[in-house]
Amino acid sequence: MSEHRPANRPLIIAIDGPAAAGKGTLARRLAGTLGLPYLDTGLLYRAVGRRVLDGGGDPADPTGAEAAARALRPADLDRPDLRGPEADAAATAVAAIPAVRSALLAFQRNFAGERGAVLDGRDIGTVIFPDARVKLFVTASLQARARRRWLELRAKGSDAELSTVETDMRARDALDAARAAAPLRPAPDAALLDTTELDADGAFRAAMSEVARRR
Ligand code: CDP
């Protein structure tokens, strides 16, 4: 009998991908169906960026951003001002700083604990949980993703232009993919899920069949 008994490890589902690919919707639904806790790790970087902005600092300054990451408290994740163009840009800037990423590592690993979890982000399958049982890399065309984000913003009363949303998103994706620290890329063992032509139900069904295959 093998000494390696992967079935006894807590179930960790790592969902990575670029902005507005549908990771959050999918992760929340998987977590609800499988009875696992869910962590949106983008909120950590958003909350760090917001703390830096609160203090009048520059999110790209490594010293201030690291101090903000070390001072982060769980209640910061509930702030109502973590979305929108300013928070987006600040999150992407602090996320490129290695000391910020290290300061947030233990929180993410501890979150899964003995119980397992669904986490979504950019480096969950590559850096945070390289041994996760299920890894999904969720993507969609830039146009489809920008349109989804634009519709979300409009539903919240924003009058942002679709072209501006698309330009900002292209810039953030490029920074996430080009940075030296934990760049956005699929883990070699991740299943790719392109949601350009899939609605939320279709993405959920595809993800559940991958979960069934890997369990
Ligand atoms: O919702 P959206 O996809 O636009 O962004 P998010 O997932 O909330 O992430 C905001 C920013 O945080 C991203 O642009 C990344 O720079 C960064 N991030 C990261 O570097 N690593 C993660 N695990 C999650 C987010």
Side-chain angles (χ1 to χ4, degrees), residues 162-178:
L162 176 58
S163 59
T164 311
V165 173
E166 186 173 317
T167 305
D168 287 356
M169 195 171 275
R170 183 189 284 114
R172 276 205 302 130
D173 286 348
L175 288 170
D176 286 343

Side-chain angles (χ1 to χ4, degrees), residues 64-149:
E66 181 182 357
R70 295 203 178 281
L72 201 69
R73 296 288 166 267
D76 291 331
L77 307 186
D78 298 326
R79 288 180 60 150
D81 53 359
L82 299 181
R83 307 264 167 209
E86 195 189 25
D88 289 351
T92 305
V94 300
I97 299 169
V100 167
R101 306 198 72 86
S102 318
L104 300 177
L105 189 78
F107 179 83
Q108 295 174 82
R109 291 208 174 132
N110 292 339
F111 182 83
E114 298 294 303
R115 196 168 157 206
V118 181
L119 299 95
D120 81 53
R122 302 291 188 285
D123 64 341
I124 309 304
T126 50
V127 175
I128 308 296
F129 287 109
D131 295 333
R133 189 119 44 95
V134 180
K135 295 184 187 179
L136 297 166
F137 193 85
V138 182
T139 184
S141 71
L142 174 67
Q143 289 71 24
R145 294 185 292 109
R147 192 173 170 77
R148 285 177 198 159
R149 180 56 46 89

